Amino acid sequence: MVLVAGLAVFAGCAVVAADGRVGPLERALFHAVNGLPDWLYRPMVLFQYLGVLAMPLVVALGALALRRWRLAAALVLVVPFKLATERLVKWLVQRERPGTTVADAVLRGVHPAGLSFVSGHAIITFAIAGLLALVLPRRWAVVAFVLATLNAVARVYLGAHNPLDVLGGAAVGLAIAAVLDLVLDVARDRGGSLTGRTTPTREDRTT
């Protein structure tokens, strides 16, 4: 279900962004976020670091410390999945960054040019959040998704991406998490000291 929904949202974003332009509605949403006060700059910079390429590996170390082997393996695999899917998407949909597509964009320490769709930061943060949601108690899963959303908002605020870039990236990230769960059965790592209960294995869930 998550895989299908993620692919559907991504496809919708890709169709709209494929002509390289930023429509009126998306432009208005970009300005609403990009025009937020300058005092938000420092926290937004911190939030954007949640989407750097090393972050899945950092979280994987935590999973290893808690002996969540499937989760750790999936988090490591997020890196090659992200690199491959992002390259494919940017080959298919070539839309420039707001510094080129939005004339009056406020750029805060980001490059004005370069391919913008999809956001690699959003892919990483939502892939991590999607995987953590399979294992963590609900309250901590909510925290993971809130942080992922703040990362996406930060990328728009800084002027690095348009809204559809981060939405499409979020959809790809969740799709990656769903694929990795299908392959590695990450949800089987739920239980024990993290939740206080045991979740049935994939074999149990299908009987």
Side-chain angles (χ1 to χ4, degrees):
M1 185 66 178
V2 173
L3 176 59
V4 173
L7 292 176
V9 171
F10 163 74
C13 293
V15 168
V16 175
D19 64 2
R21 295 179 294 179
V22 180
L25 181 59
E26 186 182 10
R27 189 182 297 265
L29 183 56
F30 171 82
H31 283 308
V33 177
N34 184 241
L36 291 172
D38 288 337
W39 61 264
L40 288 170
Y41 174 75
R42 290 185 182 277
M44 289 296 183
V45 168
L46 291 177
F47 289 135
Q48 85 160 342
Y49 289 146
L50 296 174
V52 299
L53 197 58
M55 190 56 66
L57 305 180
V58 172
V59 182
L61 290 176
L64 285 174
L66 294 172
R67 298 184 179 182
R68 268 38 185 188
W69 314 118
R70 293 175 179 81
L71 175 60
L75 287 164
V76 170
L77 288 173
V78 165
V79 175
F81 268 70
K82 179 265 184 188
L83 293 173
T85 55
E86 184 182 24
R87 177 172 294 186
L88 175 62
V89 170
K90 289 189 176 181
W91 178 72
L92 293 171
V93 180
Q94 299 184 347
R95 182 167 77 164
E96 293 287 322
R97 293 189 182 275
T100 300
T101 56
V102 181
D104 51 351
V106 179
L107 306 184
R108 299 178 173 93
V110 297
H111 293 294
L115 295 180
S116 179
F117 187 89
V118 290
S119 166
H121 283 66
I123 292 176
I124 288 174
T125 54
F126 277 88
I128 292 173
L131 290 171
L132 292 179
L134 296 169
V135 176
L136 295 179
R138 180 169 297 181
R139 62 183 179 277
W140 293 113
V142 169
V143 171
F145 278 110
V146 168
L147 291 174
T149 301
L150 288 172
N151 173 265
V153 171
R155 296 298 283 167
V156 177
Y157 171 81
L158 295 171
H161 287 288
N162 282 300
L164 285 183
D165 302 336
V166 296
L167 180 59
V172 171
L174 291 175
I176 288 174
V179 169
L180 290 172
D181 181 42
L182 286 173
V183 174
L184 298 174
D185 197 8
V186 177
R188 192 172 178 182
D189 273 354
R190 177 185 285 269
S193 61
L194 283 178
T195 63
R197 66 181 186 275
T198 302
T199 294
T201 65
R202 176 179 294 166
E203 290 78 11
D204 294 333
R205 296 196 298 268
T206 57
T207 58

